[in-house]
Amino acid sequence: MSDLAERLDAAARDGVAIPQIVSAAGLDAADAYTVQEALVARRLARGERLVGIKLGLTSRAKMAQVGVDEVIWGRLTDAMAIADGATVDTSGYIHPRIEPEVAFLLDASGNATAVAPALEIIDSRYADFKFSLADVIADNSSAAAFAIGDWKPLPGGLDNLGVLLEVDGRVVQIGSTAAILGDPRRAVSWGVRLAGKVDPGWVLLAGAATAAVPLAPGVHVRAVVEGLGTVAVRTA
Ligand code: 0L1
Ligand code: MG
């Protein structure tokens, strides 16, 4: 499986799409998580640090967009973090997309201590952004980068907050936090259970409230989550 991890790693580093090598090798979802672990281990060996986990495909809109209908997870490293308002160079990505999310800050027991609006950039390493369940899991659930807005104490309810995704001031997606597993707080227990172990201070990206949109260079993207605030990135 390390050869598959190496090919996925090379695809991400070179910004060149590859065929669906994991399903072609006959691997299932459990095997694919082993490939994912080996893939992220390569990043850690280069000096990156684990800073959290992401859930993927937690909404019907996302499942429908990619044709895979299972909640999946991936690993986040410090090299994927973008400061709120910073500029990200998209030239190294293959076909990046961006989506509005909700992020949680975790304590040592895997409980959420704070919440924030978030943007996730995803970039499948597979040609045409097409993959099976095993392929996308091995590809670290398409993780590429993420930005988090200001943390806030957990409010009483998070289950039906309006979510907007804007590109250059124009609303391109409208959703609700209800789209994320019915209530994004459910993502915390799902994520901790799926990942098995979390560290205090880790971030958990709960999943997107809308479908993802293609991310072009030279734009300003902002997510607005009702009651939680905003988070933005620029692209170059
Ligand atoms: O964060 C996500 O929901 C992405 C999961 C993988 C599917 C995709 O690349 O859209
Ligand atoms: Mg996502």
Side-chain angles (χ1 to χ4, degrees):
M1 293 189 205
S2 65
D3 54 324
L4 299 177
E6 190 178 337
R7 286 188 66 189
L8 280 161
D9 192 34
R13 296 178 79 188
D14 300 343
V16 176
I18 58 172
Q20 297 179 50
I21 52 176
V22 179
S23 50
L27 300 189
D28 64 12
D31 297 326
Y33 278 113
T34 305
V35 177
Q36 182 193 116
E37 195 174 0
L39 170 67
V40 176
R42 297 178 68 84
R43 299 182 73 124
L44 303 184
R46 293 196 290 270
E48 296 182 32
R49 195 168 44 84
L50 282 178
V51 295
I53 57 177
K54 62 164 280 182
L55 288 191
L57 307 180
T58 49
S59 73
R60 299 307 316 173
K62 286 299 310 279
M63 288 178 176
Q65 185 173 33
V66 297
V68 174
D69 61 358
E70 207 167 296
V71 175
I72 58 177
W73 71 283
R75 293 159 163 97
L76 302 175
T77 75
D78 58 339
M80 301 176 190
I82 310 163
D84 184 9
T87 299
V88 54
D89 179 1
T90 56
S91 62
Y93 295 131
I94 300 167
H95 35 208
R97 295 176 177 177
I98 193 161
E99 54 192 20
E101 302 220 3
V102 170
F104 292 97
L105 194 59
L106 301 178
D107 67 12
S109 315
N111 294 313
T113 58
V115 62
L119 283 166
E120 186 185 19
I121 298 175
I122 51 175
D123 190 29
S124 174
R125 269 51 71 165
Y126 301 112
D128 304 321
F129 229 108
K130 292 221 172 354
F131 40 71
S132 69
L133 175 65
D135 286 301
V136 68
I137 289 170
D139 186 25
N140 200 20
S141 297
S142 304
F146 63 95
I148 295 180
D150 290 342
W151 293 108
K152 281 191 164 44
L154 289 176
L158 279 175
D159 55 330
N160 193 16
L161 305 176
V163 177
L164 298 179
L165 182 67
E166 299 170 355
V167 176
D168 288 338
R170 193 169 56 85
V171 175
V172 294
Q173 290 284 331
I174 299 176
S176 161
T177 54
I180 306 168
L181 296 174
D183 182 331
R185 280 173 302 197
R186 291 206 179 104
V188 176
S189 46
W190 272 72
V192 171
R193 186 174 49 79
L194 289 170
K197 177 191 170 301
V198 297
D199 282 353
W202 272 16
V203 163
L204 181 143
L205 290 184
T210 71
V213 302
L215 184 61
V219 296
H220 179 260
V221 182
R222 188 170 83 128
V224 184
V225 182
E226 181 186 358
L228 299 186
T230 66
V231 55
V233 296
R234 277 184 194 284
T235 61

